[in-house]
Amino acid sequence: MLNFVYDNKTELIFGKGTQHEVGQRLKVFNKKVLLHYGGGSIKRTGLYNDVVKSLKDAHVDYVELGGVQPNPVLTKVHEGIELCRKEDVGIILAVGGGSVIDSAKAIALGFGYDGDVWDFYLSKEEPTHTPLPVATILTIPAAGSESSPNTVISNEETRRKLGYGSGKLRPVFSIINPELFCTLPHHQMANGISDMMSHIFERYFTRTLHTDLSDSLCEATLRIIMKNARILNNNLYDYDAWAEIAFCGNIAHNNLLGIGREQDWACHAMEHEMSAIYHVAHGAGLSVITPAWMKYVAPKHREMFLQFAVNVMGIDGSYRSGDTLIREAILRLTNFYKELGLPVTMEELGITAQYFSRMAEQATNVDGTIGSLEKLTMEDVKQIYKLACRS
Ligand code: NZQ
Ligand code: ZN
């Protein structure tokens, strides 16, 4: 196990009806709030009215900025920074999924910075200033941004989608009410499942030895996600299944499962290039690229993939050869994605080989390689994109 420091300051307020507490919880900050949200789902579901009532009842002053799009963009972030400065905002409330929360974090980061906030996404440097605090009401369990230190933003001009992380960006509190997820369309549920599973895979597949506890936590969380995803696949209104999924989705990316181990993140790097150019949903991109990555790297890391086959995919290891077992595990994962209606080939996403070279070049252009289980060069990444053309 590697040395680690684990610090997760986000207070979680979990359960039925908890969105009604938001006004009282923000009141203690005694600051003007930016109410930040997406393309309108919160108005259709009635959540917007609940939030506004709670703010008004608690006499919390606020301004609002909606219209964050999935795969949030830099121009909206700039608009938010300007509004916060003009209105002397002191805290941002993001009501939405990963896109709204990431946009809020970017605004929070850019607020006290003289240059362009995009500088941080390029340089990855720690800010010397203190960003505005961010609080959230989560409406889709998926990205884990409700307690992660990360934000992912797309720059429309350069067509780059880049992530940035700093402990200073972890939300101060996040309200997670699984009742709010019952309005999600089926495909968004599936995208979320794919994303949270990937957050675990990125941590689970590691070269680090002696990680028994976090291995087992990863395996248990993956099994619980698959079990409850199958329940939601038949009934999107099952509160208890959503509660399990929301808890798993949070743990999948609050880094509890990743501490003390080398992490990979190659699939996320490859997927971000797909989203940047083709605007595909992040979870849908991951269900295409993950099995291809597994097929490519598994032969060199058989022990890790055998453990995955037996402990996660539930394959009886006693009578098959190792290679058959690994192939079957990847096939079962692919079939699980299909069961949820997720795409498993580039073609299903409308992606052709046209930009594979450019995508591979951009994915690897910071350090020359991505990933840690297996360091992937630009050529490797191109091969994986090609592998993802068929299931
Ligand atoms: O925009 P509205 O109208 O609100 O609709 C949203 C959006 O279209 C809709 N939705 C959300 N909650 C709903 C709902 N519809 C009905 N009922 C509800 N309760 O769902 C759509 C998708 O929302 P979005 O926020 O884009 O989804 P998600 O949470 O999957 O976030 C994806 C973004 O997060 C980034 C991804 O790259 C992507 O840009 N990620 C952020 C991470 C982080 N900050 O730690 C880590 C992840 O790996 C990921 O990269
Ligand atoms: Zn993700």
Side-chain angles (χ1 to χ4, degrees), residues 128-187:
T128 50
H129 67 290
T130 305
L132 288 177
V134 172
T136 88
I137 300 179
L138 186 68
T139 64
I140 168 171
S145 189
E146 72 275 10
S147 56
S148 83
N150 308 104
T151 152
V152 186
I153 295 293
S154 295
N155 182 328
E156 311 97 302
E157 230 175 81
T158 60
R159 287 175 100 185
R160 296 297 322 266
K161 180 175 179 179
L162 296 179
Y164 173 74
S166 160
K168 293 180 177 176
L169 294 178
R170 281 202 203 253
V172 286
F173 71 76
S174 283
I175 291 178
I176 304 175
N177 174 1
E179 290 172 314
L180 302 177
F181 310 145
C182 295
T183 55
L184 279 165
H186 184 277
H187 71 280

Side-chain angles (χ1 to χ4, degrees), residues 142-144 194-196 198-199 202 253 265 268 271-272 282-283 286:
S194 164
D195 191 17
M196 63 182 73
S198 175
H199 294 160
E202 302 281 21
H253 202 39
W265 296 101
H268 268 66
E271 195 293 313
H272 284 169
H282 177 57
L286 288 168

Side-chain angles (χ1 to χ4, degrees), residues 14 20 28 35 73 108 133 141 158 183 215 308 312 378:
F14 192 102
H20 302 294
V28 298
L35 169 56
V73 293
T158 60
T183 55
D215 277 10
F308 166 69
V312 179
M378 182 181 134

